[in-house]
Amino acid sequence: MLTRVNASASLADRVAAVLTEEIRGGRWPVGSKLPTETTLVQELGVSRTVVREAISRLRTTGLVESRQGSGVFVLKPSTAPLDLSMDETFGHAPEIKVKVLQIVEVRRPVEAEAAGLAAERATDADIDAIRDALTALDEAVAAGGDGVEQDLGFHRTIADASRNPVLAETVRYLGEVMRTGIRVTRANEARRDDFIQQVRNEHATIVSAIASRDTKAAREAARTHMDGANRRLHDADEKFWAQASDTTAEPR
């Protein structure tokens, strides 16, 4: 039996960690098939959605692959993946703040390059997709949501428009393993109306630069957005960081 997952931490990350440990420990050797989704739900005590998100994380790190109609199979690891996730070792305010700020530092050059290449290479259909992604984000926030999935989708759409599949996959990977940090960032930005407007303006500036085919302006707009996120996080008070551990927990 698998160890049941404690709901006090990010569930998808914890499930992914449990499955990763079992794979690396040899329970499921290379080429073997993972238990069915139903079995994992029962043994881990989590929802189907959490299991699916966890499997998605394993795919992102190259541990497994899904074969249509057959199931999920263990792959031969090439190198140990970077561990950029926020797990239980980052459960206190000072550690969470450090990790989230580090995430912003990593995203800055990656997002800037994605935006610059998108400005250079995006098709009209790509630009329409980027605008639609921004609209979806605005609508999610207006409806009271945290906008995390839509924010990730917006940046993934820009990366897709770069026409560089390696960069696009990198942005997807970073989005998956840094999801909790992005959730904390957005929770901070949702605290104040001026923060919300700043973020919206920054996103709109990125889209405008890409649509104008201005590579330099697109890179600068993306860097400015990440610098703004960094500044807003530094502006967060101690009370916010004390509550941040609650933000890192995902619902079942």
Side-chain angles (χ1 to χ4, degrees):
M1 292 287 292
L2 294 170
T3 303
R4 292 178 71 87
V5 175
N6 188 328
S8 65
S10 167
L11 283 175
D13 287 339
R14 291 295 301 277
V15 169
V18 168
L19 296 178
T20 297
E21 182 177 355
E22 295 291 343
I23 290 171
R24 291 179 177 167
R27 175 168 183 172
W28 299 302
V30 173
S32 65
K33 181 180 176 181
L34 292 190
T36 65
E37 184 179 283
T38 299
T39 299
L40 291 175
V41 166
Q42 292 173 347
E43 291 198 18
L44 293 163
V46 297
S47 69
R48 290 182 180 272
T49 298
V50 170
V51 168
R52 288 169 186 165
E53 290 180 359
I55 295 298
S56 175
R57 284 156 169 72
L58 297 189
R59 285 199 303 269
T60 299
T61 57
L63 283 175
V64 302
E65 68 174 1
S66 297
R67 299 175 189 170
Q68 189 171 7
S70 298
V72 180
F73 292 82
V74 177
L75 295 176
K76 180 180 179 180
S78 52
T79 58
L82 289 172
D83 181 9
L84 302 175
S85 59
M86 295 180 64
D87 57 20
E88 62 271 17
T89 62
F90 289 90
H92 303 288
E95 290 86 355
I96 291 174
K97 182 175 182 179
V98 168
K99 192 69 175 281
V100 174
L101 289 171
Q102 288 171 345
I103 287 170
V104 172
E105 289 179 353
V106 172
R107 290 183 64 195
R108 183 187 292 113
V110 175
E111 301 286 0
E113 186 62 16
L117 290 176
E120 178 182 337
R121 302 170 179 174
T123 64
D124 290 343
D126 288 332
I127 293 173
D128 287 342
I130 292 170
R131 286 173 171 151
D132 288 346
L134 181 57
T135 298
L137 173 55
D138 290 340
E139 289 175 348
V141 173
D146 62 13
V148 172
E149 294 303 323
Q150 292 77 15
D151 189 297
L152 289 168
F154 172 68
H155 290 286
R156 283 196 298 262
T157 304
I158 291 174
D160 288 340
S162 74
R163 298 295 167 181
N164 182 327
V166 175
L167 178 57
E169 285 304 311
T170 298
V171 169
R172 277 178 166 74
Y173 174 77
L174 292 177
E176 287 299 325
V177 298
M178 296 179 173
R179 182 185 298 268
T180 305
I182 294 170
R183 182 177 291 108
V184 173
T185 301
R186 289 200 60 82
N188 174 57
E189 293 167 348
R191 294 183 305 115
R192 290 169 41 177
D193 290 341
D194 58 329
F195 282 2
I196 294 173
Q197 191 58 48
Q198 286 171 18
V199 173
R200 193 184 188 290
N201 291 343
E202 289 163 10
H203 282 156
T205 300
I206 294 171
V207 175
S208 178
I210 292 173
S212 299
R213 316 290 184 177
D214 190 331
T215 300
K216 181 178 179 180
R219 286 194 175 97
E220 184 58 33
R223 278 192 292 266
T224 297
H225 176 44
M226 291 294 102
D227 289 341
N230 183 72
R231 183 182 64 254
R232 288 184 287 270
L233 287 166
H234 276 293
D235 284 345
D237 57 23
E238 293 182 5
K239 181 179 179 181
F240 170 79
W241 290 111
Q243 296 172 340
S245 58
D246 294 332
T247 308
T248 64
E250 295 177 1
R252 290 180 73 165

